[in-house]
Amino acid sequence: MSSCNVVIFGETGAGKSSLINLVTKKHTAPACNDATGCTTQISEYPLSTESIQSKVKFFDTPGLDEGSEGVVPDREARLVLKKLLQRLGDDVHLLMYCVRGVRAKRGLYHNYNLVRSEVKGSVPIVLVVTCLEDQEPDMEDWWKNNERIISDSRMTFAGHACVTTATVDKYTGDKLKGRHEQSYHAVCQLIEQCHLKGVQRLPLAAVEGQHSAIRRPKTIVLFGETGAGTSSLINLMAGKEVAYTSPDMQRATLRWNEYAIDFDGNSYTVFDTVRLEEPQLGIKEYLESVENAYRLIRELDCRGGVDLLLFCVRAGRVTSTHQSNYRLFHEFLCEKKVPIVLVITNLERERRMEDWWDRNELTFKKYQIQVAGHACITAANRLDGRHRVLYEESCVTIRNLVEEFTADGQKQAWTGGDNLFVSLLRRLRAFIAGGPNVGKKDLVSHLTKRCGISPDAAKQFTKIIRQDDVAESH
């Protein structure tokens, strides 16, 4: 009989110990509902049941995210968990992430990533959602309601079980008894299936490939000058009104709106960004851009990176602003590692929309705007007759373009980081009117207070930017 070591982890109060009692069918692990955690150290519990064809041993760990005054403060609990994983090494066969059945929070990724970054390989991670005894109409509905949030948060699981670990006694009603028994079999089946798949110790990429039921939506960054029609383009792709369109001309400081779009069986998250434009930014707008740039990069990194850049331009003259925005997003934000496609709007009056590109392709090349593909479209959806036909044609064109450049087998989504942020800040410096007038203390304070960057990191960023300024002045 093969052995299977299962490490259970999760925030304090998630029901890890109760989960062990559910599967062992007795009060094996001490469980409580107190304000502080009841698991203070690593505890091992062997399991022998006909429902699982392996010799299972559970490793119950102290709860994460407990306050500094708790029995096991969060920092200590994380250290204990990391040391356990290091000690077991290749003898960890399954990681079980236990969470309470409330609405999924993006903070769940924090604990998930702690473990995933530690094992760095072939150990499957499964999700067990507890406290679902009152979930209607069925416990599995929790997964249906929260699967998208989990996927968006870059968490990939080899399997899941939606359960109740509530104690059953002679006063328990038939419905809860039925859900309790259902939960027992769900967890046992999860352990058995995932352990058998993990016996061969496949590389992590292969393990995750087997469990691609949760597919991360492709991330698209959409940009273009004000009036180019980015909101109308989003509605065109979605096939319905999801983005508010407005003619307002606001000062641009890298704000963004986020939209979830589905078509042809694929899911996309579109970040509609507000661009940097002329006239050049003043100091106030620069500091706003610093904050928003950092938040944008953190959000994109959290979503798994950038899969595609959509550069939206209104048919007309090619300007230096087009060139600046192209360089900002393609060269500085994504370091030319993400495919970029050009979408030209407002072409409903062209006899043949593609004719515009035939006449102007060389002009874009003259401005060194090199793109992987293009689409000539109209996003005006309040027209009729021939224009309605062009609108429907444009919907097919843009969707095909997006699918082509985000299809599986394309480059992996590119993620940035601190170096990316510094590069972007350097670029933003070029937009400051009158040269480098933002004081070091102002920038450090803004990075720390508004962006949540540590003081040391903020000083480092500022130092690098200042060194860049000195080098350029010489």
Side-chain angles (χ1 to χ4, degrees):
M1 180 180 292
S2 63
S3 61
C4 178
N5 292 329
V6 181
V7 174
I8 303 178
F9 70 99
E11 67 181 3
T12 184
K16 299 182 296 299
S17 300
S18 297
L19 179 60
I20 292 173
N21 295 335
L22 169 74
V23 181
T24 59
K25 290 194 171 184
K26 56 185 178 181
H27 193 74
T28 303
C32 62
N33 195 32
D34 295 340
T36 56
C38 52
T39 302
T40 59
Q41 58 185 1
I42 301 296
S43 300
E44 301 179 15
Y45 301 98
L47 169 66
S48 179
T49 173
E50 295 181 356
S51 299
I52 303 176
Q53 301 301 313
S54 303
K55 186 177 180 180
V56 177
K57 180 184 289 186
F58 289 109
F59 291 80
D60 193 11
T61 61
L64 304 173
D65 300 324
E66 191 162 3
S68 58
E69 303 301 321
V71 177
V72 184
D74 181 59
R75 180 175 295 182
E76 183 179 339
R78 290 177 181 278
L79 183 60
V80 169
L81 177 57
K82 291 178 69 173
K83 286 184 176 180
L84 171 66
L85 296 176
Q86 292 169 359
R87 175 169 64 86
L88 292 176
D90 290 340
D91 289 329
V92 179
H93 303 110
L94 184 64
L95 291 162
M96 190 170 285
Y97 189 6
C98 186
V99 303
R100 287 180 64 88
V102 295
R103 184 165 178 80
K105 301 175 293 185
R106 300 201 186 280
L108 293 176
Y109 178 75
H110 186 50
N111 294 331
Y112 169 87
N113 191 51
L114 168 72
V115 170
R116 176 133 190 289
S117 61
E118 191 64 38
V119 293
K120 297 178 182 177
S122 58
V123 183
I125 304 176
V126 297
L127 181 70
V128 177
V129 189
T130 65
C131 302
L132 294 178
E133 50 271 12
D134 297 321
Q135 178 75 40
E136 296 295 345
D138 187 75
M139 291 188 290
E140 184 64 19
D141 278 78
W142 186 96
W143 178 257
K144 297 176 183 177
N145 295 335
N146 292 276
E147 181 180 2
R148 178 63 180 266
I149 295 177
I150 291 171
S151 176
D152 286 351
S153 300
R154 292 172 53 204
M155 292 185 287
T156 303
F157 295 102
H160 73 275
C162 295
V163 306
T164 175
T165 57
T167 303
V168 172
D169 54 31
K170 61 181 180 180
Y171 302 107
T172 302
D174 291 341
K175 181 177 180 180
L176 181 55
K177 285 181 179 178
R179 288 196 165 188
H180 194 271
E181 188 67 16
Q182 176 186 340
S183 299
Y184 165 77
H185 288 292
V187 176
C188 289
Q189 184 178 21
L190 190 64
I191 295 172
E192 180 71 4
Q193 290 180 348
C194 292
H195 175 53
L196 288 176
K197 290 180 180 179
V199 166
Q200 296 180 352
R201 307 297 261 176
L202 297 171
L204 181 61
V207 172
E208 292 186 346
Q210 289 181 356
H211 310 288
S212 57
I214 309 176
R215 298 182 60 187
R216 180 186 69 83
K218 303 294 185 179
T219 300
I220 300 171
V221 172
L222 171 62
F223 67 100
E225 64 183 332
T226 303
T230 57
S231 297
S232 297
L233 177 57
I234 290 171
N235 293 334
L236 178 69
M237 286 191 290
K240 57 185 178 181
E241 296 283 334
V242 296
Y244 173 69
T245 57
S246 170
D248 293 345
M249 301 289 286
Q250 300 179 1
R251 201 66 181 274
T253 52
L254 272 179
R255 297 182 306 276
W256 75 90
N257 292 312
E258 175 186 341
Y259 301 96
I261 294 177
D262 299 285
F263 58 82
D264 298 337
N266 297 309
S267 298
Y268 306 90
T269 302
V270 181
F271 286 81
D272 182 17
T273 64
V274 180
R275 286 73 29 210
L276 295 176
E277 301 176 23
E278 304 293 350
Q280 290 181 316
L281 297 180
I283 294 175
K284 180 181 178 182
E285 288 85 1
Y286 172 72
L287 291 177
E288 287 184 35
S289 295
V290 168
E291 176 185 349
N292 291 330
Y294 185 68
R295 294 189 187 283
L296 173 61
I297 290 168
R298 283 199 308 180
E299 189 66 26
L300 292 173
D301 193 40
C302 180
R303 300 304 178 85
V306 183
D307 294 282
L308 179 66
L309 290 171
L310 278 183
F311 185 11
C312 183
V313 302
R314 184 183 177 90
R317 296 281 189 270
V318 180
T319 68
S320 59
T321 301
H322 290 135
Q323 187 180 46
S324 296
N325 278 310
Y326 169 83
R327 296 190 64 198
L328 176 66
F329 282 86
H330 185 49
E331 297 181 17
F332 291 91
L333 181 65
C334 295
E335 296 181 341
K336 299 182 179 180
K337 296 178 180 177
V338 174
I340 179 171
V341 297
L342 185 67
V343 182
I344 304 100
T345 65
N346 201 41
L347 292 175
E348 57 270 12
R349 291 173 179 81
E350 286 280 336
R351 184 170 182 176
R352 174 178 170 269
M353 292 190 291
E354 189 65 22
D355 289 342
W356 192 94
W357 179 251
D358 293 339
R359 297 194 307 267
N360 294 278
E361 180 180 4
L362 292 179
T363 303
F364 281 93
K365 291 183 178 180
K366 178 181 177 181
Y367 277 82
Q368 297 181 328
I369 298 176
Q370 304 285 343
V371 295
H374 74 278
C376 293
I377 66 164
T378 175
N381 66 344
R382 295 203 179 3
L383 304 174
D384 54 16
R386 172 180 177 271
H387 292 150
R388 170 53 55 181
V389 174
L390 292 178
Y391 183 83
E392 294 173 354
E393 175 187 320
S394 297
C395 181
V396 174
T397 299
I398 189 61
R399 287 183 172 184
N400 288 342
L401 188 71
V402 168
E403 288 182 334
E404 177 184 355
F405 288 98
T406 60
D408 293 336
Q410 294 283 335
K411 291 181 179 179
Q412 288 187 336
W414 180 77
T415 59
D418 288 349
N419 290 336
L420 169 62
F421 184 47
V422 171
S423 296
L424 188 55
L425 286 183
R426 285 173 172 164
R427 178 58 179 162
L428 293 177
R429 296 284 296 172
F431 284 84
I432 303 176
N437 295 322
V438 179
K440 178 180 179 180
K441 290 184 179 179
D442 293 335
L443 188 53
V444 170
S445 176
H446 196 81
L447 290 170
T448 303
K449 294 179 181 179
R450 299 295 299 278
C451 300
I453 303 175
S454 69
D456 288 342
K459 291 177 182 177
Q460 182 69 15
F461 285 144
T462 306
K463 180 180 178 181
I464 293 173
I465 294 168
R466 293 300 181 194
Q467 288 174 344
D468 193 50
D469 290 336
V470 172
E472 289 180 358
S473 66
H474 287 80

